[in-house]
Amino acid sequence: MRSKTHIQTTINGEERDFLCEPRQSLLEVLRDTLNLTGTKEGCNDGNCGSCTVTLDGRLVTSCLVLAVEAEGREIGTIEGVAQGNHLHPIQKAFLENAALQCGVCTPGFIVATKVLLEKEPDPSEERIRFFLANNLCRCTGYDKIVQAVQAAALNLRGTKETQA
Amino acid sequence: MKWFEYEAPTTLADALAILDANPGACLLAGGTDLLVQLRAGRKQTDLVLDIKRIPELNEISFDSASGLTLGAAVCCAEAYEHPLVKQHYPALAEVASIIGGTQIQGRASIGGNLCNAAPSADAVPLLIALGAVCRVVGIHGERELPVEDFCLAPGQNAMNPGELLVSLRFPAPLPASGAHYLRFIPRNEMDIAVAGVGVSVTLENGAFKAARIALASVAPKPLFVPAAGDSLKGKPVSAESLDAAAQLAKAAASPISDMRGTVEYRRHLCAVLTRRALEAAVRQALGQAQETR
Ligand SMILES: Cc1cc2nc3c(=O)[nH]c(=O)nc-3n(C[C@H](O)[C@H](O)[C@H](O)COP(=O)(O)OP(=O)(O)OC[C@H]3O[C@@H](n4cnc5c(N)ncnc54)[C@H](O)[C@@H]3O)c2cc1C
Ligand code: FES
Ligand code: FES
């Protein structure tokens, strides 16, 4: 019996449900079924990181997750990063530092950077490069991405201090 | 990917029953090997059996007498973030943090690294060096298997149809002991080891009491080299004793030439990496000895 499976999950804080085939990746379902096309497909084998999302708070490549695995789990995508019409400080930093050209890698970098800076507000350059090694960029040469992450980190630390 | 069914049992008994009824099922832990292989058509199956919802496969527990139990499906990130793993098995935490990148580590399990039985699997030489034992369970019972006997050939392990790996058990770390895994790769991360060496050492009065050495990427399977570790027993920690062990490791290697390196290059790397990994493990053992004093 080849029937689709009904999956209930939480995406960017909202309860969602969808039908999928067991063989479909989470990436396919996000893009083709749920129309959340911010998450990009690059290599489809775990190397490039353009399909990066969070699964129960952990960074994963959604091309190597089956959509059926999302049952009862929490997923975070690039669409959940901005607050309404307000860009997240990390997104602003990527724009201001010209950390993107074609932009295909950018959602993955931003989702990964957000997790990094939530855990480690003041990472060294080496730490940033190591943490983001699962994200490839064919355009920028990485320096501007690292600078954007540093700028965002500085900004976020400042915001935290003024709040405190 | 070709059509398959999917099940995610929540008990070990259910998983074993499903596996018994579907001998062609593929077990899914993090999927970082399996899903790549299914997509590329290198493997085919009618049923993917997700083992991540089984409690025993997610266990991390430590006892200073019996050591560490690491569930086979625990992902690398969870392993290296765990305070008891970091504290008592720093080399294990470190190897978990170099498998793939951050996103791969959020999925890839140490158990999957072992079960996939790649000669290049980074965790396996260290598991052997640490003396880890596999708990393998099937519908007819369970057995224990040292990691060095687990991998047979590329992609082939010693489990029978219907069996699965539940957990790895690591002996409690001895006083004045240390371990280290070192690999050589052309870039710093996200690459397949040209060669890798896992070692563990225990010291007593400035001499080696015991040592275990295993190699990656230089044989059809992760290679335990008992002769190299045994050569250190009773020897003082010195350049000569380390070099002698390194030469034995090199002699045991039977690598192939491919785009990552030639036979000669890989054999040379075995000696260099063994010596350096031993130096690092000795440093750790000495640090530990100072702390306990
Ligand atoms: C981009 C990328 C980078 C990588 N980098 C590295 C690296 O640097 N070093 C390295 O060593 N590897 C690397 N790998 C390979 C892979 O990530 C590791 O081998 C990983 O540890 C596999 O674990 P998993 O949980 O994803 O296994 P899975 O893919 O879920 O399973 C692997 C195999 O083992 C079987 N299996 C899994 N668990 C069990 C069990 N409990 N009992 C019985 N059988 C089981 C599965 O059926 C499958 O055949 C990389 C992979 C990718 C995609
Ligand atoms: S598309 Fe998933 S890692 Fe490249
Ligand atoms: S901006 Fe084009 S790949 Fe990164």
Side-chain angles (χ1 to χ4, degrees):
Chain A
M1 255 278 292
R2 302 197 157 184
S3 58
K4 289 199 175 186
T5 310
H6 179 228
I7 297 298
Q8 280 184 295
T9 185
T10 306
I11 302 179
N12 300 326
E14 246 177 76
E15 281 181 30
R16 298 289 295 258
D17 58 345
F18 57 81
L19 289 173
C20 69
E21 297 179 3
R23 64 177 166 178
Q24 280 185 294
S25 70
L26 179 59
L27 173 63
E28 274 175 80
V29 168
L30 285 173
R31 289 183 55 85
D32 302 344
T33 307
L34 299 172
N35 211 23
L36 291 169
T37 52
T39 305
K40 302 302 180 201
E41 177 181 327
C43 62
N44 220 15
D45 64 13
N47 274 282
C48 76
S50 62
C51 67
T52 298
V53 300
T54 58
L55 182 64
D56 285 349
R58 270 196 201 293
L59 289 169
V60 299
T61 50
S62 59
C63 67
L64 293 187
V65 177
L66 296 175
V68 283
E69 293 185 65
E71 174 66 38
R73 307 269 194 233
E74 283 190 26
I75 294 160
T77 72
I78 184 67
E79 284 86 355
V81 173
Q83 289 108 15
N85 287 329
H86 296 279
L87 290 183
H88 189 280
I90 297 171
Q91 293 172 308
K92 276 191 205 147
F94 269 65
L95 283 174
E96 283 160 8
N97 289 273
L100 59 145
Q101 289 177 31
C102 79
V104 168
C105 69
T106 314
F109 268 104
I110 288 174
V111 170
T113 299
K114 188 160 174 272
V115 170
L116 171 65
L117 297 184
E118 278 162 8
K119 282 198 225 171
E120 302 172 36
D122 191 11
S124 66
E125 179 184 339
E126 194 191 346
R127 177 65 185 145
I128 293 169
R129 288 185 186 271
F130 193 71
F131 190 92
L132 297 176
N134 214 155
N135 292 82
L136 301 184
C137 176
R138 298 292 82 166
C139 301
T140 64
Y142 299 102
D143 281 354
K144 291 187 171 182
I145 292 177
V146 175
Q147 283 156 18
V149 175
Q150 288 170 321
L154 190 66
N155 182 352
L156 286 165
R157 289 201 304 277
T159 323
K160 238 188 215 151
E161 272 158 29
T162 34
Q163 275 168 0
Chain B
M1 278 191 270
K2 293 229 168 74
W3 184 281
F4 51 72
E5 299 295 327
Y6 168 86
E7 301 229 33
T10 53
T11 68
L12 186 53
D14 284 352
L16 292 173
I18 298 169
L19 197 53
D20 190 53
N22 301 273
C26 278
L27 299 177
L28 173 71
T32 59
D33 282 318
L34 180 67
L35 295 180
V36 174
Q37 291 160 1
L38 287 174
R39 192 168 282 147
R42 273 182 278 143
K43 250 187 200 164
Q44 283 179 23
T45 187
D46 294 327
L47 175 66
V48 166
L49 186 57
D50 187 347
I51 51 178
K52 286 190 297 297
R53 295 187 192 239
I54 306 169
E56 289 90 333
L57 277 90
N58 290 304
E59 179 180 353
I60 306 184
S61 62
F62 176 75
D63 176 296
S64 55
S66 58
L68 173 75
T69 303
L70 183 71
V74 172
C75 73
C76 288
E78 202 180 331
Y80 64 66
E81 283 169 7
H82 199 283
L84 290 170
V85 176
K86 270 197 278 195
Q87 184 186 346
H88 299 290
Y89 303 87
L92 181 62
E94 212 177 300
V95 81
S97 75
I98 63 162
I99 292 178
T102 309
Q103 287 87 322
I104 294 297
Q105 290 151 18
R107 292 274 289 174
S109 62
I110 302 284
N113 195 246
L114 175 59
C115 290
N116 191 55
S120 59
D122 282 311
V124 182
L126 185 76
L127 300 180
I128 295 173
L130 290 171
V133 175
C134 310
R135 180 179 168 219
V136 173
V137 179
I139 197 153
H140 301 298
E142 66 174 86
R143 58 192 176 117
E144 289 206 322
L145 205 63
V147 171
E148 56 266 34
D149 297 338
F150 189 84
C151 298
L152 303 177
Q156 230 187 315
N157 63 45
M159 283 186 297
N160 298 317
E163 284 186 323
L164 64 80
L165 177 68
V166 172
S167 56
L168 292 159
R169 192 170 50 74
F170 298 80
L174 295 168
S177 66
H180 198 68
Y181 175 74
L182 204 57
R183 67 178 174 183
F184 182 79
I185 51 173
R187 57 184 289 220
N188 283 332
E189 64 290 291
M190 297 284 295
D191 209 341
I192 297 174
V194 182
V197 178
V199 307
S200 72
V201 303
T202 310
L203 306 180
E204 196 175 53
N205 305 325
F208 288 98
K209 195 174 166 194
R212 286 168 70 88
I213 297 172
L215 311 174
S217 287
V218 295
K221 58 176 187 173
L223 192 66
F224 181 38
V225 192
D230 290 346
S231 78
L232 290 167
K233 259 184 219 169
K235 297 268 166 60
V237 176
S238 66
E240 290 73 39
S241 64
L242 296 196
D243 274 337
Q247 288 307 318
L248 287 166
K250 177 180 171 180
S254 56
I256 53 165
S257 292
D258 65 11
M259 64 169 186
R260 288 178 205 282
T262 59
V263 167
E264 296 72 27
Y265 186 49
R266 284 195 156 104
R267 282 169 40 80
H268 175 71
L269 280 173
C270 278
V272 175
L273 293 173
T274 300
R275 186 165 41 71
R276 290 186 189 166
L278 283 169
E279 283 166 359
V282 165
R283 274 196 301 275
Q284 200 188 78
L286 291 173
Q288 214 168 314
Q290 277 152 16
E291 261 171 37
T292 47
R293 232 182 281 142

